[in-house]
């Protein structure tokens, strides 16, 4: 959603390319293979070597998967990587066995083996899929792609574009990944934040547009830790949906759009720049200056005038406000990291000091535990309402993602915010979310700064 400048600075203080998305639009209900393999791709300018990536289908981003709402996604995942892996379908409220979390909902798929994913897509919207075993490495190497579920009646637009925002930590001499994915400095600070930013796998994405053309932008933050603060130039528009879930009414864009890791936004924008000029989606860079993320050279005229504000999208199923009377109260205390106050935590049932934890690669804790426990944060009954207070006692931002269900933020005045699956929290901030435990199974709840998840920030709930 649109943020004020002050709100943007709270998040950005802790954080420091084009060709269209490779698109394989498969027929609804078809069954195809999704193969993860090692490949090479030209990410940096042509004067640099191609980068070795891990990609579904050998590309970054992966082939786009697109189905109609209610249609089935059926993929045979084949692992041709040197590591075990699995595929998580981020934001889709599906059956637990298909969620793709290695060690919780399935065994990791060994190199040379396969696993069949088969599920219905109940919610229209913008989602994505990515690796969920050693995610802090495998996603950073490129295992990520867009999953688009089309609503029966979409917005009145001239066209749509999917924009996957990514960053890469590359050696400028060789063009290859900085190979220490478990580097303690990254683990204990803001995560693996790259030194090179792309959209749809390219650093200079440019898409021709026409004046007064109306475009739907499906924007996905597919990075492992970077927060993207975005602004528009030569474009005016509205936010239609967040994390796949439609807004009750389109929200006019006026200010900075903040997109945390794993979050998505559906925007409708009108091209207001004159013919011969360039409209842009801009990223506020590390030096607080705007830099182009995507450019739209304006060539021609779509209409003589702009249109009225778009109509809201139809709500997805189970989008009603939850009744929180008698809701279960839960609390999650986040501690650790550099400059944190975590003196000790439990690991393997033993209390260890911070130095011992760091030696074991654990820099963070949830409720005084520096690993995912065998017992869940909570056992919840089906359709039980829940209020979860999240107390971030660290100095870093964290993007907290709940699998299998969407939630709403409980605001200070008691009002409930829009449905989301990932909430971006600033350092030393306490916020509360509410949801109905309406999807049975074991559901992960973790920080989507993926290095943080790998070093302690992971828990889960069980709905029975």
């Amino acid at each position: 959603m649109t943020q004020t400048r002050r709100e943007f600075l709270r998040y950005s203080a802790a954080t420091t390319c084009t060709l269209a998305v490779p698109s394989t639009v498969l027929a609804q209900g078809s069954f195809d293979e999704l193969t993860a393999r090692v490949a090479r791709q030209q990410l940096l300018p042509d004067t640099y070597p191609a980068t070795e990536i891990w990609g579904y289908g050998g590309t970054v981003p992966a082939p786009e998967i697109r189905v109609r709402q209610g249609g089935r996604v059926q993929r045979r995942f084949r692992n041709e990587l040197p590591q075990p892996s699995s595929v998580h379908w981020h934001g889709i409220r599906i059956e637990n066995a298909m969620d793709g979390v290695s060690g919780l909902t399935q065994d990791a798929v060994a190199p040379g083996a396969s696993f069949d994913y088969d599920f219905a897509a109940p919610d229209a919207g913008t989602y994505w899929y990515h690796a969920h075993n050693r995610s802090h490495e495998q996603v950073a190497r490129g295992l990520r792609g867009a999953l688009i579920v089309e609503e029966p009646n979409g917005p009145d637009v001239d066209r749509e574009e999917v924009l996957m925002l990514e960053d890469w930590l590359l050696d400028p001499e060789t063009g290859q990944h900085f190979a220490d994915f478990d580097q303690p400095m990254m683990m204990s600070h803001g995560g693996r934040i790259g030194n090179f930013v792309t959209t749809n796998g390219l650093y200079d994405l440019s898409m021709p547009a026409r004046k007064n053309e109306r475009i739907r932008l499906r924007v996905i933050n597919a990075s492992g830790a970077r927060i993207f603060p975005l602004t528009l130039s030569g474009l005016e528009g509205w936010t239609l949906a967040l994390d796949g879930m439609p807004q009750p009414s389109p929200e006019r864009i006026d200010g900075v759009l903040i997109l945390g890791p794993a979050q998505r936004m559906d925007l409708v924008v009108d091209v207001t720049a004159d013919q011969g000029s360039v409209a842009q989606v801009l990223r506020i860079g590390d030096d607080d200056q705007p830099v182009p993320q995507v450019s739209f050279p304006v060539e021609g005229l779509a209409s003589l005038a702009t249109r009225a504000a778009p109509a809201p999208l139809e709500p997805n199923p189970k989008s009603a406000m939850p009744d929180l009377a008698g809701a279960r109260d839960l609390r999650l205390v986040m501690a650790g990291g550099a400059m944190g106050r975590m003196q000790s935590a439990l690991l393997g049932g033993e209390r260890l000091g911070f130095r011992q934890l760091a030696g074991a690669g654990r820099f963070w804790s949830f409720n005084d535990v520096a690993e995912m426990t065998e017992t869940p944060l909570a056992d919840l009954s089906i359709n039980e309402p829940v209020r979860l207070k999240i107390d971030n006692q660290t100095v870093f931002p964290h993007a907290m993602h709940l699998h299998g269900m969407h939630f709403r933020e409980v605001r200070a005045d008691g009002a409930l915010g829009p449905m989301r699956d990932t909430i971006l929290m600033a350092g030393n901030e306490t916020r509360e979310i509410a949801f109905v435990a309406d999807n049975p199974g074991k559901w992960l709840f973790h920080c989507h700064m993926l290095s943080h998840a790998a070093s302690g920030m992971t828990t889960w709930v069980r709905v029975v």
Side-chain angles (χ1 to χ4, degrees):
M1 67 199 323
T2 305
Q3 303 285 330
T4 65
R5 182 72 169 167
R6 179 177 298 175
E7 288 171 323
F8 155 60
L9 290 173
R10 288 192 301 145
Y11 298 108
S12 63
T15 345
T16 53
C17 345
T18 56
L19 194 109
V21 178
S23 179
T24 303
V25 181
L26 299 162
Q28 182 173 324
S30 69
F31 196 97
D32 208 343
E33 292 194 353
L34 184 67
T35 302
R37 63 174 181 262
V38 179
R40 298 185 76 84
Q41 186 163 320
Q42 192 67 45
L43 299 174
L44 294 164
D46 291 343
T47 54
Y48 293 85
T51 301
E52 182 182 280
I53 59 100
W54 293 4
Y56 298 115
T59 65
V60 172
E64 176 185 295
I65 297 175
R66 185 176 289 254
V67 297
R68 288 282 187 178
Q69 185 173 10
R72 299 200 72 82
V73 175
Q74 297 173 305
R75 295 294 183 275
R76 175 160 294 159
F77 169 59
R78 292 195 181 277
N79 184 8
E80 296 181 0
L81 302 171
Q83 292 179 4
S85 191
S86 62
V87 184
H88 170 54
W89 311 91
H90 188 111
I92 298 285
R93 299 186 286 185
I94 57 179
E95 53 267 40
N96 195 227
M98 295 291 104
D99 197 43
V101 180
S102 298
L104 185 67
T105 67
Q106 69 171 90
D107 294 331
V109 181
S114 65
F115 184 90
D116 289 349
Y117 292 99
D118 183 358
F119 58 88
D123 298 314
T126 300
Y127 306 97
W128 63 304
Y129 62 101
H130 61 80
H132 220 295
N133 185 61
R134 280 192 62 83
S135 302
H136 65 295
E137 175 180 357
Q138 295 188 7
V139 175
R141 288 185 181 274
L143 289 169
R144 52 204 177 197
L147 171 57
I148 306 301
V149 184
E150 296 179 337
E151 53 274 293
N153 301 300
D156 179 19
V157 296
D158 296 314
R159 75 181 213 247
E160 75 169 54
E161 301 289 351
V162 178
L163 306 178
M164 292 201 73
L165 313 183
E166 313 132 336
D167 70 346
W168 311 82
L169 189 56
L170 303 178
D171 182 336
E173 296 296 324
T174 65
Q176 305 311 306
H177 294 280
F178 175 67
D180 190 354
F181 290 90
D182 299 301
Q183 207 271 345
M185 181 69 73
M186 292 184 295
M187 291 282 198
S188 61
H189 286 69
R192 187 184 176 93
I193 298 173
N195 55 3
F196 187 68
V197 176
T198 60
T199 305
N200 298 352
L202 297 166
Y203 69 91
D204 55 355
L205 180 56
S206 182
M207 299 177 169
R210 297 170 295 158
K211 184 175 176 61
N212 294 331
E213 186 176 19
R214 176 160 284 189
I215 309 172
R216 180 181 189 166
L217 300 179
R218 298 180 181 265
V219 189
I220 303 169
N221 183 347
S223 72
R226 179 179 289 272
I227 298 168
F228 280 88
L230 305 173
T231 61
L232 303 180
S233 174
L235 300 168
E236 294 182 358
W238 298 262
T239 303
L240 284 189
L242 298 171
D243 292 352
M245 295 297 161
Q247 298 271 63
S249 60
E251 181 180 335
R252 186 85 189 192
I253 299 171
D254 182 18
V256 179
L257 295 165
I258 295 179
L259 206 59
Q263 291 185 321
R264 290 92 62 212
M265 291 181 177
D266 283 53
L267 311 178
V268 164
V269 298
D270 291 332
V271 179
T272 57
D274 290 331
Q275 297 180 63
S277 62
V278 179
Q280 292 176 316
V281 176
L282 300 166
R283 179 183 83 257
I284 298 178
D286 301 335
D287 58 358
D288 204 28
Q289 298 300 311
V291 294
Q293 186 74 34
V294 183
S295 296
F296 297 90
V298 182
E299 305 168 356
L301 184 67
S303 65
L304 295 176
T306 58
R307 285 173 257 189
L313 297 173
E314 296 177 7
N316 279 318
K318 299 192 291 187
S319 294
M321 293 287 186
D323 181 1
L324 298 182
R328 172 96 68 98
D329 287 321
L330 301 175
R331 188 175 184 223
L332 187 72
V333 178
M334 310 159 73
M339 300 171 284
R341 300 191 297 272
M342 185 176 75
Q343 303 298 316
S344 67
L346 294 173
L347 181 63
E350 182 182 358
R351 182 161 294 279
L352 302 180
F354 187 77
R355 287 183 180 276
Q356 293 172 295
L357 292 167
R362 298 292 188 271
F363 300 95
W364 313 88
S365 69
F366 282 167
N367 289 356
D368 202 33
V369 180
E371 62 182 337
M372 190 170 78
T373 56
E374 292 186 5
T375 56
L377 174 68
D379 273 310
L380 304 173
S381 299
I382 191 71
N383 294 325
E384 181 177 8
V386 178
R387 295 178 68 136
L388 172 59
K389 181 174 287 187
I390 309 172
D391 185 2
N392 181 8
Q393 296 183 1
T394 83
V395 301
F396 292 92
H398 301 286
M400 292 302 297
H401 170 51
L402 177 63
H403 287 220
M405 294 169 283
H406 277 63
F407 54 77
R408 297 178 185 270
E409 182 178 1
V410 183
R411 294 173 172 162
D413 61 0
L416 296 178
M419 294 185 74
R420 303 211 70 155
D421 60 53
T422 306
I423 186 171
L424 181 60
M425 299 190 60
N428 296 308
E429 180 179 55
T430 298
R431 295 167 78 175
E432 187 177 16
I433 63 173
F435 63 94
V436 176
D438 56 7
N439 199 355
K442 300 175 180 179
W443 300 110
L444 207 64
F445 187 47
H446 67 102
C447 179
H448 225 281
M449 275 74 170
L450 296 174
S451 296
H452 296 172
S455 53
M457 283 192 151
T458 305
T459 188
W460 59 292
V461 297
R462 179 164 47 207
V463 182
V464 296

